[in-house]
Structure formats: structure tokens, C-alpha cells
Amino acid sequence: MRSLAFSLAIFAPLTALLLTSGCKRGSVDGGVDRLSGGGATFVDPIMQRWSSEYKTAKNVEVDYKKSGSGNGIQQMSGKVLDFGCTDAPMNKDETENAKTEGGEVVHVPVIMGAVAIIYNVPGVKEQLKLNGDVIAKIYLGEITLWNDPAIAALNPGVKLPASGLTPVYRSESSGTTSIFTEFLSKSSVSFKTKIGISKNPKWPKIGTGQNGNDGIAGHVQRNEGCIGYVELYYAKKSEMPYAILKNRRGKDVLPDTENVAAAAKGAMSETPTKEPYTVHSLTYSLTDIDADTAYPICGMSYAVLFKNQPAGKGKALVDFLKWATTDGQKFAKELEYSPLPTELQTKIAARLDEVKLD
Amino acid sequence: MSEPVAAQKPPSPAGDVIFRLICQACGMFILLVAAALLGILVWQSWDVLSRIGEYKMFTSTDWNPDQRPRVFGSWVFIYGTLATSLIAMLVAVPLGVGSAAFLSEIAPPWIRKTCSFLIELLAAIPSVVYGFWGLFFLTPGLQKLFLLLGGPPNTSGQGILAAGLILAIMIVPYVTAISFDVCRAVPSSQRQGSLALGATRWQMIWTVVLPYARPGIIAACFLALGRALGETMAVTMLIGNVRYIDFSLFASGDSIASVIANQLNEAGSRDHRSALVALGLVLFLITAMTNLAARFLIRQGAKPRVRVNRGPQSLTGPANAPAEFGPLVVSESQWKRTARENRVMTWVLGFCQLATVVPLFLILGYIGVRGASSLDWNFFTELPKPPGQLGGGMIHAIVGSGIIVLLASVCAVPIGVLTAVYLHEYNTHPLTKPVRFVTELLGGVPSIVIGIFAYALLVKPPAFIASLIASVPILSYLMPSGFTAWAGVFALGIMMLPVVVRTAEESMKLVPASLRQASYALGATQRQTVMRVILPASLPAITTGVLLAMGRIAGETAPLILTTAGSNFWPRSLYDRTPFLPGYIYEYSKSADADQQRQAWAAALVLLSAILLLNILIRVAAGRRVVAASRAD
């Protein structure tokens, strides 16, 4: 009997735990103090900052886990998360899919940033100059050595080694990849036909796939000969050099907050004509913009949420997004992002007011 | 055992009946879980499986989920899985069996004791820590090797070979530990007989111990193979994650488990998700086949025997010596050759042992040094800080991991042990055979497949299951959809269950019949015999099994990424996303941010230390039990 009592004693705490945790859950749903979000790694640094600031200011925990844009879209659509983040607006399929799960989806731009080209070339510490065509050739596998004439021609005076070149790309569905391939498709016809714009393209038989912006940055940092594309904050954190790119007007531009702002200004002056930007309001393509100082690979990160929200959580979510897109923008520059233009902030507030709470 | 016999009440038959029913119910639970697992895998993958030609699942190497027409050719992943596992087995099996033989037959007791403890530690190191170490220690080394061998200049050391080698290091302890146990279980009369016939120690090992232990060794290899096939985190961190096949040893690749871990959460279209589940089903079937093969082989060699047909001469003389009894004539040169062979093989086996434990020191040393310089007090008191702010810690993840692992163990151990009792004690019941079969099958199921199962059942239940859950109030209360700690506990508990059942049953088998007979002779019922005699006597071995299982689940990352998903805040309830330490090791290890890397090293050190401590504690506790059990004998 002693042994039986022993096994009962094992089960007892389990039962108790199940019951207590259940009770706790009930009490939590009444007053929302935690929002769960996830997705784009592009936006993660500032999202963590917002989360920390917002907790201090409003005592609401915004629990954001980075996992890639595709992930954010799917988890939001499947109602597993309260909101997702993505750097590429949801395409038609994704929008349709979400509609069957929970109706219309609202896109809210939260931040703008640049995608920097980082590299680890033995012996080269200076900033290389590159253009869309050369990068396209690298990711098509047509350039395999660092001293390729195409790279050398853009960088007179730089001593490039004859070492191998490994392009690094994302192993998961990524909005940053979508921005990057959009730029390359605009720069190179051959890239457009062979690979095209995609969050998760089929790369040729070259290179290696890494998970997340941080994964690419870490891999390039640790492995000589690698080149990769990451959001500017990750580039700076990796302490690897990043490239100066030729923009549409043929000017050499650095990825920085001003040059992103210039691209955004150009982008917002014209009406989007292509999918997926025509499917959702407040979405813009920021790549290859025709302006003097515009950096050619810029992107916007969007929070995506269902238009119909449960009253408590929905209110908390809308409040947070309103805060992030206004007050929260002041943290943008120290984390290498570009704040949203004021007129866009007004439009976002109006759009968020359309969210139905019930 | 300490109570006087006279104080015991007469046994009540009702208690025995209830006990038997409880044990049977536990057995049935395992059948139910396995049926649900298979059912969900088939059902969720049916979209793709029913139109397998259209999606070119097994006819293409082209995996293209996002562009139309969608194609899900899976050969890249199947190849990557098989190639890495093959490399791992080629390295691990000879090393593992060799070092088991060395430990069991040659090593002096203190070496045996030390090494078997070290091997237990090696088995307990989490997959994600192996991956982390591989990323910083193994791949840079491999890269240099590739360049020396004139490999492709653009490799980073990651790829099929790196993944295969790390898998080898990971599965060696499984081969060794179990082979060692079965070698020890060889009756010493067998050894003495062979030595009395004039065999050298090596000849005794080769012709008596290993053949006698063969079924167990094969079982060990298949268990290890199953782990290699389904291993996720270490592989996904090292294999390169590309979507093409390159048959070079230096090449990058991808494995089934890795692609599921990378893509299941983000699978947009129904058919993409369905294709990934179908891959999970393929993995399940491959591992099930290795298990069936193992069972078949074990049954072939079920009656352990020495190869008597070789005759006593073959032990010391050439094979063509006349097979007749009588005085043995062994020439001096023959004897010298045999003695030399014995010496050489002793060294070879010793080397196997050394090669098995060296990686442990490399891992502990590397992580110890980097972790110790990264660890500070904040790590144990604070939550993570946002980027750009230094400091911060992971106390929430330590707590979260502890809760999940403990709860999973608390759920799995009683069910597992009672199932083992059912299998061992009530083996006249018609379902014991299916239950044993299914348990073994479940034990070979890769963690990522169990992750899919928990994901499809609890996180994102399909409409049918969701409405079923919603219609039963208790279920909807216990099983809310979404990422929850509960889903993680469920997944880890299921992973642990077969290991507990297997070790509990095996160790109950080893309890001498005399103990049981003595108990019955004193008038004890079956229940009393089980609870008072059989279980206490087999407790040390059960504890070791539970320990191995806990070590395995404590480091599990992939199923938790699919179920509890991690969090940046304190664990709040079983129904919230919950932080877990291995998740942070994975997340921060790939980072280029020096501060995050520092945190990853610290996290790896903390996780390793916790597991080390657990090992030592349980070893001490089990040691006392061994003493108690021997006194009872």
C-alpha cells in the first residue's frame, strides 16, 4: 500500500498543477496583459525595444518571437498569434487563406529599414561597391570568385583575393528575401526569369541557407568568402563591412536611415501598380526607387492582424500598434531603422480605427 | 521491507484486480497514442499523398512550395537524412561496440565505472548543444580539412559530413551504453567456460560475449539509427539547409527532420503543410522499418548461443584443425600469434573507448571555458534585454524548461512503469504483444514527428478535432489550441514514455526468479511482489533509463519550437507560450551579436551543468538503491 500511496503522491501535484494553471488562465483572459506576436526577423530588434519600453509605460507584455515573415503570416492567419509581422505584404493566396480563417486582414506599416549586403572577404576591410546586376550574378551562381572582373571593375584600387564566394540565403520563408529578390528582379532580367520575386525562392545549386537575419549575419561573420543580405541593424551588429550600392540613377549610396527615408518618399509619391501592393492599402514597394539618394534595397515591415478582433485583446493590440507607429518611432534611429513619415502615421491611425472590436 | 511480516494484513484480491486494471489501462493508452499518431499523420498528409504524382513527391528533387505549380519533390531531404545517418552509423557502431566490449571485459573496475558515467553524460548532452559546439568547433576544423584535401573553396565546413560526424558523436553513447549492459548480462559461466577451454580474452570477447550479446547489440544499433535518422537540431544547424542534391562528401544538403523544423510553422498553403506532414510520415515509416528489421533480427538470434559448431579448436588453433576431442596440440607460433592478436585487439578496444569519451571532454571543455567567461549573476536573475542594451539573463527560460521537463517526466514515468508491469507480469493478456510492439515502434519515432503530432493535435487542430474539443467542456479547458506549454509537455511526455517502458521492462526481466519465488512463498500476492520486490530490485536500472530519457527531453528543441514556441517573459500558465532554455541556445547561437553569443554560451553551460548535476544526483541515489537491493537479496 505504501507504494500505491507513493504513486498517488506522484499524480497529485500533476493534477493540482493542471487545475491551478487552468484557473490562472481564466483570470488572465479578463484583463489582457500579454499580446503574442511573431514573424519577421527584420523588425525584431526594434520590436524587442518596444516590448521593453511598452511594458514599462503601459504594463502590457508584447511577447514577440522572431521566426521569419512567412511564419508570422501563417501563425496570425491560423489565430495562433494575436499579430504577425512580415516585410512582404501577404500575397493573394495568403490573403485568401486568411479570409477563410478569420476574414479580412489589416496591414500596418511599423518601421522602415535597409537591407545591407554584408561580406567576409579575406584581406578586404574597405566598403566594396556593388550593383544589382553583379549581386544577381552572384546569387545565380555566375560569379564564383571574389576577384571576378565584374566585381573588380566596380572597385578599382581594391585588391580582391582569388578566393571562393559563397552566397548565403535564408532557409525559411522570409520577407527580407522577398525584398531582396524584388530588387534583383528589377535589376536583372535573367534573375527575374530564373528565380523571380519570392519569400522562399528556389536558389540554384550554390551557397548555403541559414535561419533568420541573425543566422545569415552570424554565418557571414564566421566564414570567409561568404556574402549575405541582412537588415542594417544586423549588419552593424556583426561588425562586418557592408557594400555601397548603385541606385537606379547610378549614384553610389550607403544603407543608412536618410537614404531609406529618401526611398520611402519616392515610393509614396506614386501609386503601387503591382501585386501584392495593390491587394492591401498602406503597402509600398521600396526597392529600386528613382531618386538621387535612395538606397535601392529598402523595405517596410508590416504588422498583420485580423480586422475583426475580440474586444479585450483587440483593444490592447490596436493601442500598442498606435503607440509603436507614433511614440515608438523615436527609437528607430538608434537601432538603424528609418521612422515612418508623419503623413503615413496619420493614415495608419485611421486604418487602425477601422479594426472592429467585439 | 523493513516492516515485520507479522504486521502485514492478509492480501486483498480486490487490490490486485484494480492494480491489474490500472496496468492494462496504461498499456491501452500507449496503443491509443500510437493509433492517434499514425491517424493524424496519414490524415494530415492525405492532400498530397492522394495526388502524389501531381506533386512529384517521390519523382523529383524539386521542392517548390511557394511558386506555382507547387512541386514537393522530397529526394533532397531523403538523401540528406540517409547519407548523414549512414556516416554516423559507420563511425559510431564500431566505436560503440568496441568500447562496450572494452568496458565490460577488459577495463579494471575504476575505469569501467568512470567511463560508463562519462558515456551517460555524453548521452545526456542536448542536441542543440552538440549543434552549437559543432558550429564553433567542428565546422571550422572541417573547413581547414576540406581546404587541405582540395575540396571546393567555398565550403564553410557545414554540410553532410559535418552533420554525419556530429550524429556519430551523438549516437555513440547509445550504442555503447546498451551494448555494455547486454555484455554485462552475459552469464559469467559462459566466460569461464571459454577461458577454461584456453581462449584468450579477445577470443572470449569475439566468440562468446559478443555473439551472446548480439541481439541486444543489434537492438542498440537500431535504437541509435532511429535517433540519427530523426535528429533535428544539431543537423539543421550544421547541414547547410540547401535544396539541391550534391553527392560530394563536402556538399551541403538538408534532411527531412530539418526541413520540417524549418518550414512546418510557416507552411502557408494547405498542400505545403500536407507535404511536410507527408515527409514526417516518410520519416516515421523509415524509422518504423528499422525497428521492424531490428525485431526480426532479434527474433532470429533470440536464443543466445555460443557458436559451438566451431569446436574448441577454433579458439586457439587454425580453423582447419581436426575437430575431435582429446589433448589439444597448439604450436608455439600459433600461440604467439594468438597472444599478439589478443594484445593488439585489447589496444584497439581501448582506443575505441578513448575515441568515445574524448568528444565529451572537447565539448565540456570548450563550453566550460566559453560559458564560464560569459556567465554572470544577471543570467540567473533577469529577463532578456532588448538589443543594444547589455546584460540581461534567462531565468524565465530556466524555469520554463524545468517546468516542462518535470511535468513531462511526472506524466510519463508512472504510465511507463505501470505499462512495463503490464507487459512483464500480465503477459497472458491478449494485447501485451501489440503493446510491446507499438511501444518499440513509438520509441523509434523521431522527436520531430512527435512534434508534428502534438502540433497537429493541440496547436493547430484541424476543424474536425477542434470542434470535437470544443464540444467537450473538459477537453476545451485542458486542450486549448495555440502554442502552449501543455502541448510541449504532451510531446516530451510521449517521447519519454517508450524509453521508460523499455528500460523498466528490461530491468524487471533481470530480477532473479529466486526473489519472486521467495516473495510468493511468503504468501505475497502478485501486486505485492511487484511493488515490494520486483520494482525495488529493478529501480536502479529504471532510474538510469529515466535519466537517459530526461537527458534526451531536456535538450529537445525541435518539438518545443513546434509546440510551446518560446517566450520572452515569465512562464505564466500551462496554456501560454513558454520559454525554454534550449530554444535560446538555438536562437542566440546563430547570431552575429557578440552579446547574444555570450548569452548562448552561458545558456549552454547552465543547461549542461544542470544535466551533469542531475546525473550525479541520480547516480548517488541509484547507488544507495543498489546496496538496498543487494541486502534484500
Side-chain angles (χ1 to χ4, degrees), chain A residues 8-290:
Chain A
L8 277 178
I10 290 178
F11 280 113
L14 169 67
T15 327
L17 235 156
L18 282 177
L19 291 176
T20 51
S21 53
C23 294
K24 211 173 169 191
R25 179 173 193 254
S27 68
V28 159
D29 272 359
V32 174
D33 61 2
R34 188 179 286 187
L35 293 168
S36 63
T41 53
F42 185 99
V43 75
D44 185 66
I46 193 156
M47 194 57 91
Q48 297 308 337
R49 182 65 184 271
W50 285 339
S51 170
S52 158
E53 300 287 341
Y54 201 63
K55 172 142 202 224
T56 323
K58 303 279 162 72
N59 199 26
V60 173
E61 294 174 340
V62 181
D63 193 5
Y64 186 85
K65 285 308 262 184
K66 59 174 186 274
S67 51
S69 294
N71 206 321
I73 292 173
Q74 293 320 320
Q75 303 304 344
M76 187 282 304
S77 306
K79 295 188 169 173
V80 175
L81 295 178
D82 300 326
F83 71 100
C85 278
T86 171
D87 326 321
M90 288 163 67
N91 61 29
K92 255 191 170 157
D93 281 356
E94 289 161 345
T95 314
E96 287 300 312
N97 178 34
K99 198 163 243 167
T100 61
E101 301 270 353
E104 195 188 330
V105 171
V106 174
H107 280 57
V108 180
V110 289
I111 203 72
M112 306 188 304
V115 177
I117 306 295
I118 57 169
Y119 48 83
N120 184 343
V121 190
V124 177
K125 289 283 159 266
E126 52 264 79
Q127 283 185 310
L128 291 176
K129 287 176 185 164
L130 297 172
N131 63 27
D133 193 47
V134 167
I135 300 171
K137 279 188 177 138
I138 290 174
Y139 276 86
L140 283 168
E142 291 164 14
I143 293 178
T144 56
L145 289 173
W146 276 106
N147 64 350
D148 191 279
I151 302 178
L154 291 171
N155 296 281
V158 179
K159 202 172 172 302
L160 291 161
S163 60
L165 190 160
T166 309
V168 186
Y169 40 83
R170 293 281 285 274
S171 61
E172 88 285 22
S173 172
S174 146
T176 311
T177 302
S178 174
I179 296 170
F180 181 65
T181 51
E182 185 183 278
F183 163 66
L184 293 184
S185 295
K186 284 178 181 175
S187 315
S188 154
V189 180
S190 144
F191 188 91
K192 190 176 180 181
T193 49
K194 284 182 186 155
I195 295 179
I197 305 171
S198 172
K199 287 200 289 288
N200 197 5
K202 177 151 176 68
W203 300 102
K205 275 188 151 195
I206 45 152
T208 169
Q210 297 293 326
N211 189 289
N213 265 299
D214 41 344
I216 292 191
H219 191 84
V220 172
Q221 186 191 52
R222 286 191 288 274
N223 294 284
E224 285 190 347
C226 287
I227 185 166
Y229 54 93
V230 292
E231 198 279 324
L232 186 56
Y233 176 82
Y234 294 93
K236 294 247 168 140
K237 265 287 161 194
S238 75
E239 294 173 354
M240 296 313 294
Y242 49 87
I244 299 168
L245 298 190
K246 255 192 201 357
N247 70 9
R248 194 153 164 189
R249 294 206 172 157
K251 300 264 171 25
D252 288 332
V253 282
L254 267 173
D256 64 27
T257 53
E258 276 77 31
N259 296 344
V260 173
K265 200 176 165 202
M268 278 166 219
S269 62
E270 46 194 86
T271 327
T273 53
K274 282 198 179 129
E275 273 185 44
Y277 304 101
T278 50
V279 183
H280 310 280
S281 61
L282 301 185
T283 59
Y284 307 90
S285 165
L286 266 56
T287 56
D288 206 26
I289 297 302
D290 189 16

Side-chain angles (χ1 to χ4, degrees), chain B residues 41 260 264 276-277 280 447-457 562:
Chain B
L41 283 184
I260 295 171
L264 185 62
L276 288 166
V277 179
S447 65
I448 187 78
V449 174
I450 291 181
I452 298 176
F453 173 48
Y455 181 83
L457 186 70
L562 295 180

Side-chain angles (χ1 to χ4, degrees), chain B residues 200-248:
Chain B
T200 62
R201 197 153 52 175
W202 162 246
Q203 284 171 328
M204 176 196 79
I205 293 170
W206 188 245
T207 56
V208 176
V209 175
L210 290 183
Y212 198 99
R214 194 176 52 203
I217 292 176
I218 292 175
C221 293
F222 275 93
L223 185 74
L225 177 63
R227 184 160 190 212
L229 286 169
E231 190 50 62
T232 313
M233 293 324 289
V235 171
T236 197
M237 289 164 89
L238 295 177
I239 199 167
N241 298 308
V242 298
R243 271 186 263 151
Y244 54 80
I245 288 190
D246 184 340
F247 291 107
S248 155

Side-chain angles (χ1 to χ4, degrees), chain A residues 40 42-44 46-47 50 64 83-87 107-113 282 299-305 317 320-326 328-330 332 337-341 344-345 348 352:
Chain A
F42 185 99
V43 75
D44 185 66
I46 193 156
M47 194 57 91
W50 285 339
Y64 186 85
F83 71 100
C85 278
T86 171
D87 326 321
H107 280 57
V108 180
V110 289
I111 203 72
M112 306 188 304
L282 301 185
M300 202 175 247
S301 211
Y302 309 90
V304 286
L305 59 149
L317 179 55
F320 166 68
L321 289 175
K322 278 186 176 168
W323 176 87
T325 51
T326 52
Q329 296 294 311
K330 65 173 177 261
Y337 293 95
S338 232
L340 299 168
L344 185 59
Q345 293 183 13
I348 291 169
L352 280 170

Side-chain angles (χ1 to χ4, degrees), chain B residues 291-292 295 423 432-442:
Chain B
N291 267 282
L292 290 180
R295 277 178 68 85
L423 291 178
T432 43
K433 269 189 179 160
V435 169
R436 188 175 291 118
F437 175 73
V438 160
T439 307
E440 268 180 42
L441 216 58
L442 209 57

Side-chain angles (χ1 to χ4, degrees), chain B residues 422-503:
Chain B
Y422 163 70
L423 291 178
H424 186 246
E425 294 292 319
Y426 304 103
N427 49 17
T428 49
H429 192 264
L431 284 177
T432 43
K433 269 189 179 160
V435 169
R436 188 175 291 118
F437 175 73
V438 160
T439 307
E440 268 180 42
L441 216 58
L442 209 57
V445 175
S447 65
I448 187 78
V449 174
I450 291 181
I452 298 176
F453 173 48
Y455 181 83
L457 186 70
L458 297 172
V459 178
K460 251 192 212 172
F464 162 70
I465 293 181
S467 62
L468 187 81
I469 290 174
S471 64
V472 185
I474 297 174
L475 278 185
S476 62
Y477 179 75
L478 284 176
M479 297 166 60
S481 65
F483 294 119
T484 60
W486 171 233
V489 168
F490 177 78
L492 294 192
I494 290 194
M495 285 181 56
M496 204 171 171
L497 205 47
V499 190
V500 176
V501 175
R502 182 198 295 264
T503 44

